[in-house]
Amino acid sequence: MTALLQNHRKLRWFLKGFGIFFLILLSNLYLQFCQNNLSLDLALKFAFSWHEEKFFLACLVLLTLYGAVAALIGSVGMGALLYSLFIGILGYADYLKMSMRQEPIYPDDLKMVANLKMMKDLVGWPLFLFLMLLILVVLAGVLWVFIRKLKLPRSQQVFRGSVLLLCVVSLGYFSNFNDETNLLRKGFNRTALWIPYSQKMNYYNVGFVGGFLYNLKVIPMDEPEGYSKEAVAEIVNRYQKQADQANEKLADAEAPNIVYVMSESFSDPNRLTGVDIAGDPLKDYYAVANQTYSGQMLSQNYGGGTANIEFEALTGFSMALFNPQMTTPYTLLVPKLKQLPSLVSMLKEQGYQTTAIHPYDTSMYKRKDVYQVLGFDEFLDQDTMTHREKLQNNPYISDGAAYQEILDRLQDGSQPQFVHLVTMQTHMPYGGKYEDIDYQVTVADGNVTSIANYAQDVAYASSALQQFVDALQKIPRRTLVVFWGDHLPGIYSDEIQQANAGTQLHETEFLMVDSQENLQDTTNDHVTSPFYFGPTLMAQAQRPVSGFYQMLLNLQTILPAFETGMYLTDSWQKTLSLKGTDQKLYDDYQMIQYDVLAGKRYSLSTDFYQQ
């Protein structure tokens, strides 16, 4: 009888062990399946033909995660259920992000889970409610089992605690993946081909788990060669002298209002090969753009990355100079800083009232914290705005309402205003927004309904912009406007994306407007990057520039636009190749960015960032 019981226990442990092994194997395959656009063939080849060693190292990490969950709850079965729910949602989220933005899920993206409204907008009500109900049921079961397991005998509690401690310590060690002495990283390095300039290819080549670990514990930038207090001082002095000389030639004038408008997903779909929209949804936009300084802006991302474009436009710093793991400075870097030189802080020093407007949730990208660091006096969101009108079935506050919010602030002429608006009207999802659509869409392949609704969306956005620009003529104080689209919408099929490979999927519309029509240049064929907006606006409006802005203006003459893998010199290049004084200028910019965002911040004790 005793032998029979012992054999029964051995069988139970064997079955549990086999079940856990199968669970870990299957969950890792599932993550690869989602990463590879739901291709089971590619997932199986990755695991058992191309990258076996990396796949089973990833299984070790997942086993450790599962072990921590199961030990904490005190149940192998309930631990498997909670673990499976987490992996299931994680993989699906990765699939969605890859489909919409051509980017994988990063560790920092997990913070977005708390934004339930955004989650609902992304997946739709039915799936959102199902997932919420499923999560609540599983968590209730976890709590019930956890309480019951508190009554286990002391010996089992000690074993459970030991397993939990071992797993937690191991996970902590794994999280130091980017340490060159880390044994797990060394294991991956035996066969891994890391591709820092493309996170998408990075995840494909090393697997979801390897790519995810690669993006933990981020160092913003590597220290440039020759970095020192003396080197920074030499750069500051050189460009400050140039700025002072340029500013001496300018006549004194009243400080103008300055308005930044980052228009969500605003772009011209007719510029894409394979997309034909009868009519011109951007006709009102071009009625303004063709009369002033305008052109295309190079966006870092396709289908998303709003906060990164906003970061570049407000700070003058480039995402291309960061380490690849610095995927979102707004969440990973800026909130940790006490101050950050920006257009906001510069204008605030000059007596401007500074206001940020975003007709959505304040928690998105930690904007509430970020705007405080940047120096905004006030932040208006969907709950604190006065004007909240919406268009038809569009769930977001309209551009017209947001522009009225700006106009209200510009009426007070007692002090100059800087207003930064991040719109929401043209945000995804697009299907079903409008009952009557004025544009006929023809595409080689893809979601006609979403593209048609998007065309109507940008048409309304164009009309609202034109009305806003016209209204500025009635504002007594001179008003300067920079308007740009942050990225293309992630609604185009793989075939359309392939037909527009290169920079086409990264070029949006931008313009600069002077209410007194006194810009230096009114041509409309420019290509630029968002970190050039501040210095370009000041130069075009004949306003004083800081030493930092002078450096950017110099850089713009040799490198009009650039992001990682996309460099515009005489033509578009995938890699940057500069020589002599041009390389020195680029290196100076890189050193200043390092100094402020990752170094000793020597330049902050100077007037380098003030006009």
Side-chain angles (χ1 to χ4, degrees), residues 92-121:
Y92 180 66
D94 186 61
Y95 165 71
L96 284 181
K97 192 178 178 189
M98 285 294 298
S99 300
M100 297 173 183
R101 293 183 50 179
Q102 296 298 300
E103 269 194 327
I105 287 287
Y106 302 124
D108 194 61
D109 291 333
L110 300 184
K111 299 175 184 177
M112 294 293 184
V113 172
N115 194 317
L116 297 182
K117 187 177 187 305
M118 185 190 72
M119 296 296 107
K120 181 265 294 181
D121 291 339

Side-chain angles (χ1 to χ4, degrees), residues 391-530:
L391 297 172
Q392 297 186 37
N393 300 322
N394 194 318
Y396 306 113
I397 292 173
S398 71
D399 285 6
Y403 285 135
Q404 189 57 54
E405 204 78 31
I406 297 176
L407 290 170
D408 287 353
R409 273 148 188 77
L410 299 185
Q411 298 301 326
D412 180 9
S414 60
Q415 70 179 120
Q417 300 284 329
F418 172 63
V419 184
H420 170 61
L421 167 65
V422 179
T423 73
M424 280 297 294
Q425 175 194 299
T426 44
H427 199 284
M428 66 175 299
Y430 299 102
K433 274 188 175 182
Y434 303 109
E435 297 171 0
D436 300 315
I437 296 177
D438 301 327
Y439 303 95
Q440 183 69 36
V441 175
T442 303
V443 293
D445 181 72
N447 188 340
V448 173
T449 300
S450 288
I451 296 175
N453 274 267
Y454 173 72
Q456 189 66 61
D457 235 349
V458 292
Y460 285 139
S462 296
S463 177
L465 173 66
Q466 186 183 45
Q467 293 175 40
F468 173 63
V469 171
D470 290 343
L472 293 178
Q473 304 297 322
K474 301 176 182 178
I475 302 297
R477 187 185 291 268
R478 182 189 187 190
T479 302
L480 307 172
V481 178
V482 183
F483 172 95
W484 73 94
D486 54 356
H487 54 74
L488 271 70
I491 57 176
Y492 300 113
S493 66
D494 290 342
E495 287 75 13
I496 292 175
Q497 291 181 48
Q498 290 170 7
N500 294 274
T503 61
Q504 279 288 93
L505 289 175
H506 296 268
E507 292 179 358
T508 66
E509 317 312 309
F510 92 91
L511 59 76
M512 295 182 182
V513 169
D514 180 353
S515 65
Q516 296 183 2
E517 299 181 354
N518 196 29
L519 294 183
Q520 289 287 89
D521 181 358
T522 57
T523 56
N524 40 70
D525 58 352
H526 301 277
V527 180
T528 191
S529 285

Side-chain angles (χ1 to χ4, degrees), residues 69-262:
V69 173
L72 179 63
I73 299 171
S75 167
V76 170
M78 190 57 72
L81 184 60
L82 183 59
Y83 168 85
S84 298
L85 178 63
F86 171 72
I87 294 296
I89 293 174
L90 181 65
Y92 180 66
D94 186 61
Y95 165 71
L96 284 181
K97 192 178 178 189
M98 285 294 298
S99 300
M100 297 173 183
R101 293 183 50 179
Q102 296 298 300
E103 269 194 327
I105 287 287
Y106 302 124
D108 194 61
D109 291 333
L110 300 184
K111 299 175 184 177
M112 294 293 184
V113 172
N115 194 317
L116 297 182
K117 187 177 187 305
M118 185 190 72
M119 296 296 107
K120 181 265 294 181
D121 291 339
L122 284 175
V123 302
W125 267 114
L127 181 56
F128 176 77
L129 290 176
F130 171 75
L131 288 175
M132 288 298 100
L133 180 61
L134 181 62
I135 290 171
L136 288 174
V137 169
V138 171
L139 290 180
V142 166
L143 181 61
W144 180 71
V145 171
F146 177 79
I147 294 173
R148 287 189 61 208
K149 295 299 181 179
L150 293 176
K151 301 176 182 179
L152 287 172
R154 180 178 176 81
S155 59
Q156 294 185 37
Q157 296 283 24
V158 170
F159 175 75
R160 172 185 168 191
S162 300
V163 172
L164 177 61
L165 179 62
L166 177 63
C167 289
V168 169
V169 170
S170 297
L171 289 174
Y173 180 78
F174 294 159
S175 71
N176 289 304
F177 189 73
N178 289 315
D179 186 330
E180 61 182 14
T181 65
N182 187 279
L183 295 178
L184 181 65
R185 177 60 180 268
K186 287 183 176 180
F188 269 88
N189 284 346
R190 283 168 47 86
T191 56
L193 175 62
W194 304 101
I195 305 180
Y197 60 83
S198 172
Q199 291 281 23
K200 175 182 175 181
M201 292 306 300
N202 223 17
Y203 275 62
Y204 278 150
N205 286 336
V206 301
F208 178 87
V209 173
F212 193 85
L213 290 171
Y214 181 78
N215 285 280
L216 285 171
K217 297 198 175 179
V218 176
I219 299 173
M221 296 175 66
D222 295 329
E223 182 176 311
E225 184 179 352
Y227 174 69
S228 68
K229 185 175 183 179
E230 292 73 23
V232 170
E234 190 275 329
I235 293 172
V236 167
N237 292 334
R238 179 151 36 90
Y239 295 106
Q240 192 61 58
K241 287 180 181 178
Q242 295 178 27
D244 291 341
Q245 291 172 1
N247 294 337
E248 287 177 359
K249 302 175 184 178
L250 301 176
D252 291 335
E254 181 184 55
N257 295 320
I258 297 177
V259 177
Y260 266 27
V261 179
M262 183 167 70

Side-chain angles (χ1 to χ4, degrees), residues 260-272:
Y260 266 27
V261 179
M262 183 167 70
S263 184
E264 171 62 39
S265 299
F266 189 89
S267 64
D268 187 350
N270 273 326
R271 295 186 69 245
L272 296 178

Side-chain angles (χ1 to χ4, degrees), residues 577-589:
S577 178
L578 299 174
K579 297 179 180 179
T581 56
D582 291 350
Q583 183 64 50
K584 178 66 169 63
L585 176 54
Y586 182 83
D587 292 342
D588 289 346
Y589 176 48

